[in-house]
């Protein structure tokens, strides 16, 4: 399973995210950063710090950043600039992310935002095995020091691993959604 990180010009957050994966996560094949607009000097630095990470850039990421940094953009009254008309749907970051992730040959992928990170060890291969065994489409990992939301009575079931790690399922199985 590959880890994909959606990123857009927050190099400090991205570096912290990458370091946390390398320190805390196991059971993954590779890390791919899907960048939409990080300045070149920061990307070069990140690539030197993380040579084992693949960086892929959106078609108009650099151009978009330059456009938004232009004084005419910054001085325009609200509503005068329509970014959706300025950049074509083919270069929309969401389409870029979907297109790149769809190329992945694996059955499962792990998607993470650049401003999130792991704070404790996690074995992604074990989570993938559990998802496959329970016919699960999506699992969202988060740490919460309070009771799970929306509430314990809405958990469909919990997968408890031998080391005490718990994966709560809040939704029905895929076949039950039809």
């Amino acid at each position: 399973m590959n880890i994909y990180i959606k990123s857009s010009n927050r190099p400090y957050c991205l570096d912290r995210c990458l370091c946390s994966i390398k320190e805390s996560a196991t059971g993954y094949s590779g890390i791919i950063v899907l960048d939409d607009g990080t300045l070149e000097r920061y990307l070069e630095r990140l690539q030197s710090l993380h040579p084992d990470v693949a960086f892929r850039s959106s078609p108009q990421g650099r151009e978009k950043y330059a456009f938004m940094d232009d004084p005419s953009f910054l001085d325009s009254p609200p509503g005068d600039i329509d970014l959706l008309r300025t950049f074509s749907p083919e270069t929309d970051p969401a389409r870029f992310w979907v297109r790149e992730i769809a190329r992945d040959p694996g059955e499962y992928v792990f998607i993470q935002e650049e401003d999130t990170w792991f704070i404790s060890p996690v074995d992604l291969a074990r989570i993938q095995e559990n998802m496959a065994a329970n016919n699960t489409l999506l699992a969202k990992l988060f740490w919460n020091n309070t009771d799970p939301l929306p509430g314990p009575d809405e958990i469909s079931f919990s997968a408890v691993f031998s080391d005490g790690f718990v994966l709560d399922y809040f939704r029905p199985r895929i076949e039950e959604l039809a």
Side-chain angles (χ1 to χ4, degrees), residues 129-150:
E129 289 170 10
N130 187 273
M131 291 176 68
N134 291 291
N135 197 24
T136 305
L137 178 63
L138 174 71
K140 183 175 182 179
L141 303 180
F142 67 95
W143 179 80
N144 189 343
N145 63 356
T146 62
D147 291 334
L149 299 175

Side-chain angles (χ1 to χ4, degrees), residues 18 38 55 80 90 110 127 154 176:
L18 292 169
T38 301
F55 288 81
D80 277 7
E90 291 77 32
F110 184 86
I127 293 172
E154 295 186 33
E176 296 172 15

Side-chain angles (χ1 to χ4, degrees), residues 104-165:
D104 193 284
E107 190 173 351
Y108 290 90
V109 297
F110 184 86
I111 302 171
Q112 185 168 350
E113 302 286 337
E114 68 189 347
D115 61 352
T116 61
W117 52 89
F118 292 102
I119 60 169
S120 60
V122 62
D123 183 352
L124 297 174
R126 286 182 8 180
I127 293 172
Q128 177 182 328
E129 289 170 10
N130 187 273
M131 291 176 68
N134 291 291
N135 197 24
T136 305
L137 178 63
L138 174 71
K140 183 175 182 179
L141 303 180
F142 67 95
W143 179 80
N144 189 343
N145 63 356
T146 62
D147 291 334
L149 299 175
D153 56 327
E154 295 186 33
I155 296 173
S156 298
F157 68 96
S158 295
V160 181
F161 293 80
S162 60
D163 62 358
F165 180 82

Side-chain angles (χ1 to χ4, degrees), residues 27-163:
Y28 64 90
S29 303
I31 303 170
I32 299 111
V33 172
L34 302 177
D35 182 66
D36 183 51
T38 301
L39 294 175
E40 193 64 36
R41 66 180 181 262
Y42 297 127
L43 275 180
E44 289 171 3
R45 176 71 174 141
L46 287 166
Q47 288 174 331
S48 72
L49 294 171
H50 304 282
D52 55 327
V53 173
F55 288 81
R56 299 180 191 164
S57 296
S58 67
Q60 276 186 309
R62 312 285 183 278
E63 197 175 313
K64 180 172 60 176
Y65 185 85
F67 173 78
M68 291 187 293
D69 200 34
D70 186 290
S72 63
F73 173 79
L74 297 173
D75 295 335
S76 298
D80 277 7
I81 296 177
D82 184 353
L83 285 176
L84 294 178
R85 281 187 272 158
T86 306
F87 297 98
S88 69
E90 291 77 32
T91 57
D92 175 60
R95 288 182 189 225
F96 162 66
W97 296 326
V98 168
R99 184 175 59 247
E100 291 298 315
I101 293 168
R103 291 177 30 196
D104 193 284
E107 190 173 351
Y108 290 90
V109 297
F110 184 86
I111 302 171
Q112 185 168 350
E113 302 286 337
E114 68 189 347
D115 61 352
T116 61
W117 52 89
F118 292 102
I119 60 169
S120 60
V122 62
D123 183 352
L124 297 174
R126 286 182 8 180
I127 293 172
Q128 177 182 328
E129 289 170 10
N130 187 273
M131 291 176 68
N134 291 291
N135 197 24
T136 305
L137 178 63
L138 174 71
K140 183 175 182 179
L141 303 180
F142 67 95
W143 179 80
N144 189 343
N145 63 356
T146 62
D147 291 334
L149 299 175
D153 56 327
E154 295 186 33
I155 296 173
S156 298
F157 68 96
S158 295
V160 181
F161 293 80
S162 60
D163 62 358

